[in-house]
Amino acid sequence: MAEPSRYHLAQLNIGRWRVPSSDPAHATSVADFMALLDPINALADRSPGFVWRLQTEDGNSISIRPFHDPDILVNLSVWESLEALRDFVYASRHLDVMRRRREWFERLAEAYVVLWWLPAGTIPTVDDAKRKLELLRLAGPSPAAFTLRQPFPVPDADTLAGNDARV
Amino acid sequence: MLGGMDLPDRTRHLTAIGLLLEPVRRALYDYVCASGREVSRNEAAEAAGVQRTLAAFHLDKLVEAGLLEATFRRLGERRGPGAGRPAKLYRRVPAEVAVSVPARDYQAVAHLLAETVERTGADLELYKSARRAGEVAGQEAAATATGPVEVEGVLAARGYEPYRDGAVLRLRNCPFGSVMRAFPSLVCGMNLALVQGLLTGMGTGHTARMEPAASRCCVAVALGGPSKVYED
């Protein structure tokens, strides 16, 4: 049995409403998504390898607007491993939400998902996450900021000790 | 991987597929695959109606060719001296084996098309196409059937490897392999629409729903009347 990793995996994904929140048709267009929000968040909470997710006292993160755009939402979470994240995203009821994403969210031209390794027990800030997304957009996938499709392994002790200012 | 395979790979794949021509070997291979789990030599031999040593010979040839993999596991509770040898268990390998003549690279074109659909956000259009294609295929299946159309047969012919689980048909195999692994949301969404179209086209009362699990296709077919997408 492998020893617990000293690193966890953080992920940020953002989405922009397809029907703007200022549009009278907005509420109806996102009704199904809203109905799925609590059950899917609860599913994440009890999924193997789940560590933490960003939420307000409403129990979700949809009221947070880090991009100063009323229609851009964020989802920020931490997992014990790539496999744990992948299993939740694609091998659980969450897959059906992914399947329907275009019903609710606009296509974004730039990268909208970013993953990165961080020391176990660290909680990423939204600013950390935004920086990681920017890094991915500028430099493409790298050990410091990558995607599920092009993942990078847990850094070895030397590289992370050098990079990390929190320890 | 663009283009054809290099020579050693092509020979290896040709050899592997050629091995399945032998009827007993084919029966053993099919049995292991259909079980969806690890199978012992003795179990496979009994299912195929052949002697154990012959079964072992064929099964090991399939392992050598890369079609099956073998592990050793103690089947019983006893441990220590006198507990008996661990049993050799066979299972289908996850990797696919394929050869086409002339060379065909459907993977390359599928990946490019999927990547483009994803990048342009055309998911819903893809699902629409898939549903229509499913309906046409389902109607054809119903039209050519000699009796009432058999859902399991139609799904089996399309490579899904259906099996019964109570009032649900589950699908052991995802026919879309590497393209699904690269674009899960898109391909699984496409697949759901395709199967829903098939069921509608066949004129059945069954419904398809998403029930993903790591080891099988993401879609399950609820036999009988319509149900909610998920049963809580």
Side-chain angles (χ1 to χ4, degrees):
Chain A
M1 174 121 312
E3 55 177 71
S5 176
R6 290 167 45 218
Y7 306 109
H8 284 166
L9 183 74
Q11 76 82 32
L12 169 79
N13 69 281
I14 72 172
R16 180 189 271 129
W17 291 131
R18 187 178 58 82
V19 177
S21 47
S22 55
D23 187 318
H26 174 78
T28 314
S29 74
V30 301
D32 285 357
F33 177 81
M34 290 305 182
L36 285 165
L37 201 50
D38 285 346
I40 295 296
N41 276 331
L43 178 67
D45 291 349
R46 62 176 189 268
S47 290
F50 169 78
V51 177
W52 170 90
R53 63 181 169 88
L54 178 70
Q55 57 182 295
T56 65
E57 57 279 0
D58 296 329
N60 57 60
S61 61
I62 62 170
S63 61
I64 300 175
R65 294 284 176 280
F67 291 91
H68 311 297
D69 181 323
D71 295 326
I72 294 184
L73 281 62
V74 300
N75 175 290
L76 177 60
S77 58
V78 177
W79 300 78
E80 285 178 0
S81 65
L82 259 167
E83 291 66 39
L85 175 64
R86 200 181 265 126
D87 281 350
F88 168 69
V89 174
Y90 297 124
S92 78
R93 289 188 180 191
H94 184 271
L95 179 63
D96 209 45
V97 177
M98 295 295 287
R99 175 180 73 89
R100 299 179 63 180
R101 58 199 170 168
R102 287 287 157 265
E103 288 181 39
W104 308 304
F105 296 101
E106 209 176 68
R107 168 193 86 81
L108 289 174
E110 293 187 282
Y112 54 88
V113 184
V114 62
L115 277 52
W116 68 100
W117 295 106
L118 77 187
T122 321
I123 300 300
T125 65
V126 173
D127 279 343
D128 292 339
K130 287 175 71 175
R131 270 193 290 272
K132 289 293 185 180
L133 186 63
E134 196 54 39
L135 178 58
L136 177 69
R137 286 175 169 184
L138 283 173
S142 73
F146 49 91
T147 63
L148 268 171
R149 201 165 288 145
Q150 286 177 271
F152 281 77
V154 177
D156 56 50
D158 295 332
T159 44
L160 198 71
N163 292 338
D164 187 72
R166 287 172 174 274
V167 173
Chain B
M1 186 195 72
L2 290 173
M5 289 174 278
D6 66 8
L7 221 46
D9 266 347
R10 193 174 173 81
T11 306
R12 203 164 43 80
H13 287 204
L14 268 168
T15 306
I17 288 176
L19 283 181
L20 292 173
L21 282 168
E22 210 285 330
V24 171
R25 196 174 298 143
R26 177 73 167 279
L28 289 163
Y29 176 78
D30 284 348
Y31 180 79
V32 172
C33 295
S35 75
R37 55 180 166 80
E38 296 173 323
V39 168
S40 70
R41 171 201 66 179
N42 292 354
E43 186 189 336
E46 194 175 314
V50 300
Q51 283 190 334
R52 293 170 175 189
T53 42
L54 184 63
F57 167 74
H58 284 309
L59 290 166
D60 288 337
K61 257 201 131 34
L62 292 167
V63 171
E64 197 188 308
L67 289 172
L68 296 180
E69 56 192 12
T71 49
F72 288 90
R73 214 185 294 290
R74 285 229 156 72
L75 294 182
E77 297 282 303
R78 291 151 63 199
R79 295 285 181 272
R85 285 185 312 183
K88 191 170 185 181
L89 300 174
Y90 300 88
R91 165 173 51 197
R92 176 168 61 183
V93 296
E96 64 199 56
V97 174
V99 184
S100 56
V101 284
R104 291 285 179 266
D105 200 344
Y106 292 108
Q107 276 200 55
V109 68
H111 277 259
L112 282 170
L113 290 172
E115 197 266 329
T116 305
V117 170
E118 176 142 307
R119 194 162 35 78
T120 58
D123 307 30
L124 303 180
E125 283 77 4
L126 173 60
Y127 306 160
K128 213 182 299 181
S129 298
R131 187 179 302 273
R132 223 180 342 227
E135 283 168 8
V136 169
Q139 284 159 10
E140 272 173 24
T144 57
T146 47
V149 66
E150 222 209 78
V151 177
E152 257 183 275
V154 171
L155 293 172
R158 297 184 77 99
Y160 288 106
E161 298 178 15
Y163 64 95
R164 287 269 181 135
D165 182 8
V168 171
L169 261 185
R170 299 202 184 282
L171 309 176
R172 189 155 272 137
N173 182 48
C174 169
F176 309 121
S178 69
V179 187
M180 181 280 291
R181 280 190 297 278
F183 303 96
S185 318
L186 203 60
V187 174
C188 294
M190 179 203 82
N191 188 42
L192 178 65
L194 179 62
V195 175
Q196 284 172 336
L198 271 169
L199 295 172
T200 307
M202 284 189 271
T204 71
H206 312 319
T207 48
R209 60 197 195 201
M210 290 288 249
E211 272 190 29
S215 55
R216 53 166 201 249
C217 169
C218 58
V219 166
V221 176
L223 301 165
S227 62
K228 300 188 300 206
V229 174
Y230 282 104
E231 293 184 346
D232 288 310

